[in-house]
Amino acid sequence: LATLSGCAEASTGPLTPGDHNRSLTVGDLDRRYLAHVPPDYNAAQPTPVVIAFHGGGGNPDSMVRLSGLNSKSDEAGFIVVYPFGTGPFENRMLSFNGGECCGYAMNNGIDDVAFTRALLDDLATVANVDADRVFATGLSNGGIMSHHVAAELADRIAAIAPVGGPLMRESIAPSRAVPVMHFHGTGDAFAPFDGGYGQGAMGRKGVTDFRSVEHTIDAWGKANGCEIEPNVEPLPDKTDDGMKSIRKTWSGGK
C-alpha cells in the first residue's frame, strides 16, 4: 500500500475547500484524520458529514482511491472525513477496533469509539457541521467499525452504509434506532457472507471468525423494531460483467 501522497495540508484554523490533515489526542494516543471539503462549502451553512473508515491494512489514501467519495462529496456538497486506524507503522497496516475485530487495534484495546467521538468534536470546531446529518461508511474492517460506532454513538450517527464488513458483536442496544444499508457480496472471500474464516493474506486461511450478514441484519432489525420478514427485490443487471444484485428491505421499524 502506498503511503499518503502528502497533498493535504495540516490544518489549524477553519476548514476551507480542499484536503486537510487534522491531529488530536485521545487518551494517551495521538490520532489523525483526513478531511475533504467540497468546493461549494459555505461556512455559514450547516453541512452534512460522511465518515469513511478504511479497510484493515489500509489508510485514508487507499480509501480515497477505492471509494470515490471525494468526487461524490464535490457533487453532493458534504464533507467527508477519513480516520486513520492504528498499527505498527505510521501509514500502513492500520486497523480499527470494531468489537471482535480487527488486528492491531483490537489486540491492543484501542478505543476507536472514543476516537470517533473526539473526531466529530474536533471537526465541529473548524467546520459548520450539521449534527443531524452525520453518516458513516467503511470497507471490510471499516464496515465493521461503522456498525460499531452506530451501536455505541447512536446519538451522533444518523445512519450507516457499511460495505463487506459485518457487525462483530453478539448484541447491540443503541440509544435510538439507526437506519442501516449494508452491502455484501455473497462470494466475499475475505469476510464470508455466511460468516466463518475467510481468505487471509497470501491466500491463506484468515485469522478472524466473522459473524454472518444474517446475524448483522437480525441484530439491527431487533434493535430498530423492524418486521421479521423482508421484502425481496431482484435488481436489474447494471454491470458489464453480468453481476446480479438482490435488495432485501426490512421495514416497519422505529
Side-chain angles (χ1 to χ4, degrees):
L1 290 173
T3 56
L4 290 175
S5 59
C7 60
E9 63 182 41
S11 176
T12 57
L15 298 188
T16 56
D19 295 336
H20 306 267
N21 282 311
R22 297 282 299 173
S23 300
L24 60 153
T25 301
V26 184
D28 58 355
L29 293 179
D30 294 329
R31 302 299 303 267
R32 301 172 291 157
Y33 67 93
L34 172 67
H36 176 80
V37 182
D40 293 335
Y41 170 70
N42 182 351
Q45 297 179 351
T47 303
V49 172
V50 173
I51 308 170
F53 295 100
H54 62 71
N59 58 29
D61 195 40
S62 63
M63 191 61 180
V64 169
R65 295 195 307 271
L66 286 168
S67 69
L69 278 170
N70 282 4
S71 296
K72 191 63 180 178
S73 162
D74 294 347
E75 173 191 332
F78 59 84
I79 296 171
V80 56
V81 294
Y82 304 90
F84 283 79
T86 54
F89 305 103
E90 183 178 11
N91 289 324
R92 59 190 180 91
M93 299 302 292
L94 307 179
S95 61
F96 297 102
N97 181 3
E100 300 168 342
C101 181
C102 298
Y104 177 96
M106 180 194 69
N107 293 335
N108 287 274
I110 304 298
D111 191 345
D112 281 314
V113 172
F115 169 43
T116 304
R117 183 188 296 109
L119 180 158
L120 291 174
D121 290 343
D122 179 76
L123 182 65
T125 67
V126 291
N128 191 346
V129 173
D130 186 341
D132 293 327
R133 291 191 293 168
V134 176
F135 308 94
T137 186
L139 174 65
S140 192
N141 178 207
I144 290 168
M145 190 63 203
S146 300
H147 283 293
H148 193 45
V149 296
E152 294 298 316
L153 297 177
D155 60 319
R156 307 291 296 271
I157 305 296
I160 60 170
V163 181
L167 172 71
M168 289 295 286
R169 297 168 50 153
E170 175 62 29
S171 61
I172 55 175
S175 60
R176 54 169 282 274
V178 181
V180 175
M181 181 162 56
H182 182 95
F183 298 86
H184 216 111
T186 55
D188 192 324
F190 297 94
F193 191 89
D194 293 325
Y197 292 94
Q199 177 181 311
M202 307 296 290
R204 303 188 186 97
K205 180 181 178 182
V207 298
T208 301
D209 187 5
F210 289 99
R211 293 186 181 272
S212 67
V213 174
E214 181 180 16
H215 169 80
T216 301
I217 300 303
D218 281 351
W220 278 112
K222 291 174 183 176
N224 289 347
C226 295
E227 297 170 355
I228 296 176
E229 294 298 327
N231 176 62
V232 181
E233 179 186 4
L235 299 180
D237 175 14
K238 294 184 179 180
T239 61
D240 293 336
D241 60 5
M243 183 177 292
K244 304 296 183 182
S245 297
I246 297 173
R247 177 167 57 203
K248 296 182 179 182
T249 306
W250 286 259
S251 58
K254 293 179 285 188

